[in-house]
């Protein structure tokens, strides 16, 4: 079955072509069926390959197929080829599985939109590009997919381009991502040249990995940092996270698929795919983990003071991506991918749930105008509640297993400060998610009478995907039950052929100054922690999560006046957080305004005065010369004869007088 790996991306490509060419001339039903069927067929092929892998010895769970040579020059050759292994098949299942549910949901959510065919055309194109990214067997093909999903993101964020906010958000996402992509491209070029200096001209993963030892440590560090720069853009990490909250201007299912479940995790996938390079550079690993931890806490804090339901989820996504980077940064690649998968379930569900709330509330986004929806839209509430429990890390839900594993891996690797930041952030996550839940579904409804009159549950085409994702959010974590709870962590075992046995690449040197904290907190034996220590930390993380939920209950259910009192008492702090620490304003002043100033200078001085001045001056000069010559060119023969005689006299006079001069 693995021979047919190429079918996985081909089906969405066919859907894109059919809907792109015929979508405007056929019915919406036909468009939806084509788009959903394409993703369904890709999911079937992915599931069949996964089933085949389960019956193969772990060492043989890798397959490559080159379709044709794409670029050939001398010894260098890059094919259009695909690679399927434990990592890429997990990604294919997530992209096509969650993608299929979101396609079905979209058929109901976008039914009345006049851009229905265009929407599904873009959506199929996105899935094609995402599958190209995760199945490509070389860096160049991965980069094509990387850029392709960026293009689709731009198109879908600005889907309602008639709104200035949507078109501006699309441009912002496109420009910020290009900054990161520049780093990614430089990383590819440096890797290519560095291996080429040893006679290895290749960009195929299967050829880079066995030759990576030829690279010096400093070169590997630079290469991996450049790749990480790309990851910070695509996966919205500090300092390039600013585009993701604005990306909520796109349709809500797009936020669920692209800006929660799939595209934004591309950076995590890329680092996991290049794990053999990152494991050679502890300094880069530390940078990845630290940026991830700081991003997680920073974004979570902003989520405290936002009222737009989608923006709260956007900052939550940035925060959860930070957790994934913490995992891959401490060398727990399988754990990072595990959280990527569970996050796709519960965050995809949260965004679709938000869409269902908006559907019920006539498009309302402000939580201050909601409340009391629990009994009016029970299916949406029930599924949303499960997703909140999962993301808060409550035992029994999928997010508990993956998030707790990240915390444990960070602690046991000696990254004490990073563990501490992540543990506190886990409590913050529980607080802001239940703040959202209580504000939206509990208490009394604060909507207008007209909106109240129309509140209703979403149709089945929207609620069935919610229920399936809720089921996955509940049970999806049981594939990674840790040994301490009697499980075998089958997810980590399945990925061992890609990442090798679980390992800890962190070093005391990488931990730097934080080693002192590590020793003080956990003792010298942190890296050799016992099962009891792991269990105690697990209990601690659960206690932290429940504290977060209780505080949210206290603030928004038991004593709803507390938030107002807090804002009045700490108005300056609240104002700063509510305005997202003024990062957008700082970026505008430092970069946007400066670039606009440079642009105006280039336009008004360099272009209009210097370049246009030279061009126009040349024209004026030629016109002046012409006006002079025009007086001579009269058309009268006697005038020309006079000129010739006068010239002859001057020449003869010059020749006569020359000897005595």
């Amino acid at each position: 079955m693995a021979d047919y790996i190429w079918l996985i991306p081909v089906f969405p490509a066919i859907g894109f072509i059919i809907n792109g060419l015929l979508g405007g001339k056929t019915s919406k039903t036909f468009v939806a069926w084509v788009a959903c069927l394409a993703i369904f067929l890709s999911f079937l092929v992915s599931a069949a390959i996964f089933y085949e892998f389960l019956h193969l010895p772990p060492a043989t769970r890798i397959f490559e197929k080159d379709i044709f040579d794409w670029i050939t020059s001398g010894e260098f050759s890059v094919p259009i080829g695909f690679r399927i292994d434990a990592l890429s098949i997990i990604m294919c299942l997530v992209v096509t599985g969650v993608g299929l549910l979101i396609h079905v949901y979209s058929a109901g959510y976008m039914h009345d939109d006049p851009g229905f065919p265009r929407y599904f055309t873009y959506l199929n194109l996105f899935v094609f590009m995402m599958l190209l990214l995760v199945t490509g067997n070389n860096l160049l093909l991965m980069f094509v997919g990387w850029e392709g999903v960026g293009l689709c993101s731009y198109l879908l964020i600005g889907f309602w381009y008639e709104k200035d906010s949507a078109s501006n958000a699309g441009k912002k996402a496109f420009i910020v991502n290009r900054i990161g992509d520049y780093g990614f491209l430089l990383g590819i070029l440096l890797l290519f040249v560095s291996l080429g200096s040893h006679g290895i001209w290749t960009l195929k993963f299967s050829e880079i990995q066995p030759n990576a030892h030829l690279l010096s440590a400093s070169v590997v560090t630079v290469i991996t940092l450049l790749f990480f720069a790309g990851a910070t853009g695509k996966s919205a990490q500090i300092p390039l996270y600013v585009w993701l909250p604005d990306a909520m201007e796109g349709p809500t299912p797009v936020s669920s698929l692209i800006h929660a479940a799939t595209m934004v995790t591309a950076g995590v996938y890329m680092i996991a795919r290049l794990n053999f390079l990152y494991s050679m550079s502890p300094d880069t690993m530390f940078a990845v983990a630290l940026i991830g931890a700081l991003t997680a806490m920073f974004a979570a804090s902003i989520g405290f003071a936002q009222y737009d339901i989608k923006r709260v989820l956007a900052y939550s996504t940035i925060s959860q991506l930070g957790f994934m980077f913490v995992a891959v940064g401490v060398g727990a690649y399988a754990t990072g991918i595990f959280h990527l998968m569970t996050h796709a379930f519960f965050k995809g569900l949260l965004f679709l749930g938000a869409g269902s709330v908006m559907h019920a509330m006539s498009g309302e986004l402000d939580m201050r105008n909601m409340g009391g929806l629990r009994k009016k839209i029970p299916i949406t509430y029930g599924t949303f509640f499960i997703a909140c429990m999962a993301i808060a890390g409550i035992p029994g839900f999928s997010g508990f297993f993956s998030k707790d594993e990240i915390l444990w891996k960070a602690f046991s690797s000696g990254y004490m400060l990073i563990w501490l930041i992540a543990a506190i952030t886990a409590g913050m996550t529980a607080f802001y998610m239940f703040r959202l839940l209580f504000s939206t579904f509990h208490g009394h409804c604060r909507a207008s009478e007209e909106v109240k009159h129309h509140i209703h549950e979403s149709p089945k085409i929207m609620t069935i995907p919610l229920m399936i994702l809720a089921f996955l959010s509940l049970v999806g974590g049981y594939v990674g039950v840790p040994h301490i709870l009697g499980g075998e962590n089958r997810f980590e075992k399945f990925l061992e052929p890609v990442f090798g046995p679980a390992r800890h690449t962190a070093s005391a040197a990488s931990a730097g100054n934080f080693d002192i904290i590590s020793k003080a907190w956990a003792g010298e034996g942190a890296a050799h922690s016992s099962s009891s220590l792991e269990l105690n930390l697990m209990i601690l993380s659960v206690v932290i999560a429940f504290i977060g939920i209780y505080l949210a209950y206290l603030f928004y259910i038991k004593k709803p006046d507390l938030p107002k009192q807090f804002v009045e008492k700490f108005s300056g702090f609240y104002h700063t957080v509510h305005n997202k620490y003024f990062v957008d304003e700082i970026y505008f002043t430092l970069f946007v305004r400066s670039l606009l100033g440079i642009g105006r200078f280039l336009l008004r001085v360099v272009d209009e005065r210097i370049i246009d001045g030279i061009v126009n001056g040349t024209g004026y000069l030629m016109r002046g010369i012409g006006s002079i010559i025009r007086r001579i060119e009269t058309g009268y023969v006697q005038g020309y004869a006079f000129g010739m005689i006068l010239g002859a006299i001057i020449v003869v006079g010059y020749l006569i007088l020359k000897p005595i001069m």
Side-chain angles (χ1 to χ4, degrees), residues 483-541:
H483 297 284
I484 189 67
L485 295 180
E488 299 178 1
N489 205 335
R490 293 180 180 177
F491 191 86
E492 189 174 88
K493 279 190 175 180
F494 182 73
L495 288 170
E496 274 186 4
V498 180
F499 303 132
R503 56 192 171 188
H504 305 301
T505 57
S507 66
S510 300
N513 296 331
F514 307 134
D515 192 47
I516 298 171
I517 304 171
S518 173
K519 291 173 183 177
W521 182 277
E524 287 289 348
H528 309 286
S529 51
S530 64
S531 297
S532 61
L533 177 60
E534 183 179 356
L535 188 61
N536 288 332
L537 289 174
M538 186 181 289
I539 294 171
L540 178 62
S541 70

Side-chain angles (χ1 to χ4, degrees), residues 98-162:
V98 177
L100 174 62
L101 294 173
I102 295 173
H103 270 67
V104 173
Y105 178 96
S106 297
Y109 188 86
M110 299 293 290
H111 187 266
D112 296 328
D113 195 287
F116 192 85
R118 180 165 55 92
Y119 173 81
F120 276 103
T121 301
Y122 291 163
L123 220 55
N124 271 182
L125 178 62
F126 166 76
V127 176
F128 164 65
M129 288 296 179
M130 190 69 203
L131 291 171
L132 204 62
L133 190 158
V134 300
T135 58
N137 69 351
N138 60 77
L139 271 169
L140 213 53
L141 200 54
M142 174 190 269
F143 188 69
V144 171
W146 186 276
E147 290 299 305
V149 294
L151 171 66
C152 295
S153 172
Y154 163 74
L155 293 172
L156 286 164
I157 292 170
F159 181 76
W160 291 311
Y161 55 84
E162 63 275 9

Side-chain angles (χ1 to χ4, degrees), residues 157 163-173 246:
I157 292 170
K163 290 167 54 185
D164 283 344
S165 56
S167 57
N168 288 337
K171 286 184 282 188
K172 184 177 181 180
D246 289 359

Side-chain angles (χ1 to χ4, degrees), residues 312-354:
V312 173
L313 294 179
Y315 282 106
S316 169
T317 299
I318 297 170
S319 180
Q320 295 302 307
L321 289 167
F323 275 96
M324 296 176 210
F325 279 102
V326 167
V328 296
V330 301
Y333 302 106
T335 305
I337 298 300
F338 186 28
H339 196 59
L340 183 157
M341 183 186 75
T342 60
H343 178 260
F345 298 152
F346 58 70
K347 187 52 64 65
L349 172 58
L350 285 167
F351 268 110
L352 294 189

Side-chain angles (χ1 to χ4, degrees), residues 171-495:
K171 286 184 282 188
K172 184 177 181 180
F174 193 81
I175 292 170
V176 174
N177 271 279
R178 295 293 77 70
I179 296 170
D181 294 352
Y182 187 62
F184 191 173
L185 190 58
L186 286 178
I188 293 175
L189 293 174
L190 183 58
L191 177 63
F192 178 67
V193 171
S194 301
L195 282 177
S197 66
H198 297 281
I200 311 297
W201 297 101
T202 183
L203 287 174
K204 290 185 71 173
F205 299 122
S206 60
E207 294 172 356
I208 294 172
Q209 185 167 1
N211 294 293
H213 67 280
L214 298 173
L215 303 172
S216 67
S218 58
V219 169
V220 171
T221 298
V222 175
I223 290 171
T224 48
L225 283 174
L226 287 170
F227 281 133
F228 181 54
T232 58
K234 195 66 73 187
S235 296
Q237 296 293 287
I238 292 174
L240 300 179
Y241 70 92
V242 290
W243 65 271
L244 187 55
D246 289 359
M248 299 302 109
E249 290 290 338
T252 302
V254 169
S255 305
S256 176
L257 177 62
I258 300 181
H259 305 123
T262 54
M263 186 196 80
V264 290
T265 62
V268 180
Y269 168 77
M270 183 264 289
I271 291 178
R273 172 57 70 199
L274 299 175
N275 67 88
F276 53 89
L277 284 178
Y278 278 86
S279 296
M280 293 169 63
S281 177
D283 292 336
T284 302
M285 297 281 280
F286 179 64
V288 171
L290 184 61
I291 293 292
L294 293 176
T295 303
M297 176 172 276
F298 182 76
S301 69
I302 297 176
F304 280 12
Q306 301 303 307
Y307 296 102
D308 184 316
I309 188 171
K310 286 181 68 178
R311 284 186 179 264
V312 173
L313 294 179
Y315 282 106
S316 169
T317 299
I318 297 170
S319 180
Q320 295 302 307
L321 289 167
F323 275 96
M324 296 176 210
F325 279 102
V326 167
V328 296
V330 301
Y333 302 106
T335 305
I337 298 300
F338 186 28
H339 196 59
L340 183 157
M341 183 186 75
T342 60
H343 178 260
F345 298 152
F346 58 70
K347 187 52 64 65
L349 172 58
L350 285 167
F351 268 110
L352 294 189
S356 185
V357 170
M358 291 167 60
H359 181 80
M361 297 287 291
S362 306
E364 181 62 70
L365 284 166
D366 195 327
M367 294 188 297
R368 290 170 292 192
N369 297 327
M370 297 181 184
L373 301 179
R374 180 164 52 106
K375 294 181 181 177
K376 295 180 178 177
I377 47 175
I379 297 176
T380 301
Y381 170 71
T383 53
F384 207 91
F385 176 77
I386 291 173
C388 286
M389 295 289 276
I391 194 173
I394 302 304
F397 294 83
S398 61
F400 163 74
F401 299 104
S402 56
K403 190 178 289 184
D404 186 75
E405 190 75 1
I406 291 172
L407 294 174
W408 169 242
K409 295 290 185 183
F411 187 94
S412 60
S413 298
Y415 286 112
M416 275 303 303
L417 183 64
I418 288 173
W419 170 83
L420 187 61
I421 294 172
I424 294 171
T425 305
M428 296 167 68
T429 303
F431 176 82
Y432 71 69
M433 284 310 306
F434 274 81
R435 167 183 177 264
L436 189 156
L437 182 81
F438 293 147
S439 299
T440 305
F441 294 98
H442 290 257
H444 65 277
C445 186
R446 299 175 290 277
S448 65
E449 290 301 321
E450 184 181 355
V451 172
K452 283 181 185 177
H453 182 68
H454 291 96
I455 294 176
H456 60 282
E457 184 61 275
S458 299
K460 287 184 179 178
I461 197 170
M462 292 170 65
T463 54
I464 290 175
L466 292 180
M467 291 187 278
I468 295 173
L469 282 172
F471 175 74
L472 293 172
S473 300
L474 186 61
V475 305
Y478 286 91
V479 296
V481 177
H483 297 284
I484 189 67
L485 295 180
E488 299 178 1
N489 205 335
R490 293 180 180 177
F491 191 86
E492 189 174 88
K493 279 190 175 180
F494 182 73
L495 288 170

